[in-house]
Amino acid sequence: MSRTVTDPDGVRRYLITLTVNGDRHTVLVKANAVLTNVLRDQLDLTGTKKGCELGDCGSCTVLLDGKPVDSCMVLAVEADGREVTTIEGVAENGRLDAIQEAMVNYGAIQCGYCTPGMVLSAKALLARNPHPTEQEVREAIAGNLCRCTGYVHIVEAVLAASEGRPVPDDAAPVAEEGEAR
Ligand code: FES
Ligand code: FES
């Protein structure tokens, strides 16, 4: 349950608690603050990307209680008391998880802007359906737009991760990495 605090200038804010990637955070937010901005600006978790900010592109996808959501469409107060997973919480002990590794090895990353959201949508899919069909992968990532890849390598990477497939000999080269903020 959030507590309200009123600034000297009369703006009401809400004290909320989020568990993000396993860590509890208490943050003071305005009523209209969206989860994307709280993650990026108040918790410095900039792996969650901002694209359309209209719920159309999926670049801001995070898992809320294990389900993928467009964090630009979620008020931070709605996430009070809930579990959030961002891309920063996917790798474990400094090792990429199977989907991230497959995305790299199968050439599924070009500019990389869609990648955090894609990975989280794919993770939610494999958590509920460890061996999806190609069609099921395509449906699971339908809300994540990619302007670069044409989706073929992304779908291949998710299927490869689900099957524990090794890296192919003719794996596509990985695009040079750049930090998008
Ligand atoms: S930035 Fe959230 S859906 Fe596009
Ligand atoms: S790799 Fe550039 S938007 Fe998907």
Side-chain angles (χ1 to χ4, degrees):
M1 175 69 86
S2 61
R3 195 158 63 78
T4 59
V5 175
T6 304
D7 287 351
D9 57 5
V11 177
R12 183 179 295 180
R13 293 174 196 269
Y14 296 78
L15 200 58
I16 63 168
T17 302
L18 305 174
T19 300
V20 184
N21 304 328
D23 296 328
R24 266 168 78 89
H25 300 272
T26 300
V27 280
L28 203 52
V29 300
K30 285 187 182 168
N32 63 353
V34 295
L35 185 56
T36 319
N37 292 341
V38 171
L39 291 170
R40 290 176 55 87
D41 302 337
Q42 293 183 243
L43 300 182
D44 207 24
L45 294 170
T46 56
T48 302
K49 300 303 178 208
K50 284 166 71 164
C52 65
E53 298 181 68
L54 292 169
D56 288 333
C57 74
S59 63
C60 64
T61 302
V62 299
L63 303 185
L64 189 58
D65 294 335
K67 300 213 170 91
V69 294
D70 293 328
S71 61
C72 70
M73 302 302 287
V74 176
L75 291 173
V77 291
E78 293 179 281
D80 185 25
R82 300 172 72 181
E83 302 254 352
V84 180
T85 304
T86 70
I87 194 66
E88 289 89 347
V90 172
E92 276 186 33
N93 302 323
R95 279 200 62 124
L96 298 180
D97 93 332
I99 297 168
Q100 291 175 303
E101 210 161 88
M103 296 278 266
V104 172
N105 291 337
Y106 282 76
I109 303 170
Q110 288 186 27
C111 80
Y113 208 80
C114 69
T115 308
M118 258 332 155
V119 168
L120 288 164
S121 289
K123 268 196 87 62
L125 169 66
L126 297 194
R128 67 174 188 276
N129 177 4
H131 301 292
T133 63
E134 177 182 335
Q135 183 59 28
E136 287 168 334
V137 173
R138 288 186 178 277
E139 285 169 12
I141 62 168
N144 295 86
L145 303 186
C146 178
R147 306 287 295 231
C148 307
T149 66
Y151 302 98
V152 172
H153 291 300
I154 293 173
V155 172
E156 184 71 5
V158 178
L159 289 170
S162 74
E163 294 162 7
R165 242 190 276 154
V167 183
D169 291 340
D170 61 345
V174 179
E176 193 123 314
E177 205 178 318
E179 172 74 4
R181 187 175 166 105

